Structures are given as C-alpha cells and as structure tokens.
Amino acid sequence: MDLSHPLFTLDPFAADARAEAKRLLGAGPVVPVDVVGVPDEQHAPLHSLCQALFDTTEQPMEVTATEEALCRFMAEPAASKAADPGDDLTSVLVEQHTSGSITHD
C-alpha cells in the first residue's frame, strides 16, 4: 500500500483538521479509491461524500450527517473486505478491528 498520499500526512489533531486536509489536497479532496479499495461503480458516490466532508462551509449538523452517511456507505465495502481482504486500507482497518487492535471509539 502506498502511504505517500497527502491524506496519510494529515494531522488529525490539528486545530482544524478539515482546513488542514483542504490545504493538503488543494482545491478539493482527491479520493484515493485504490487505497480505500472500493469497486469502480462506487467511486463517484465516495468522492461526493468526501467532497462534502471536507466542505469548510458546512454547518456542524451537516458535517455530522455527512460523517454518518460515509459510515453507512463504507459498511458494505467493509463487510466485503472482511469476507475477502485485499491490499487496501479498508481491509487493513477491518482486520485490525476484528483482531481488537482498534475499536469504533
């Protein structure tokens, strides 16, 4: 897995992680779909959700709704990766969660 993508250098503890992500990614997020491991037909919906997530004009309730929508969206690829892991971030996260190394918290 290539960890050189700007998303992997994002400091999640920055005062404004969304603004930091926007700065790293320029005009808007480039969704590294090959890193995430979603099927081709799901690229556009994932990109739209990520664009909305990094939209610094959204109000807190809109951000929360977008985060929830992204979690619902990723549930299917996560279940698929649990059954048939690949060389992608989703498979790694599912494996780590299953082993108890990481939690939903």
Side-chain angles (χ1 to χ4, degrees), residues 17-42:
R18 288 171 56 208
E20 173 71 358
K22 193 166 189 168
R23 182 191 67 76
L24 284 171
L25 298 170
V30 175
V31 181
V33 291
D34 55 328
V35 172
V36 177
V38 298
D40 291 346
E41 64 274 6
Q42 293 180 339

Side-chain angles (χ1 to χ4, degrees), residues 34-95:
D34 55 328
V35 172
V36 177
V38 298
D40 291 346
E41 64 274 6
Q42 293 180 339
H43 291 186
L46 178 59
H47 185 265
S48 294
L49 283 166
C50 289
Q51 287 282 30
L53 187 63
F54 290 104
D55 181 353
T56 58
T57 64
E58 282 194 347
Q59 298 302 311
M61 289 185 69
E62 294 170 317
V63 173
T64 299
T66 300
E67 289 170 346
E68 291 170 354
L70 183 58
C71 287
R72 284 190 306 274
F73 176 86
M74 288 303 297
E76 182 182 329
S80 174
K81 297 299 179 175
D84 185 22
D87 183 25
D88 54 67
L89 180 61
T90 303
S91 294
V92 171
L93 292 173
V94 167
E95 177 187 338

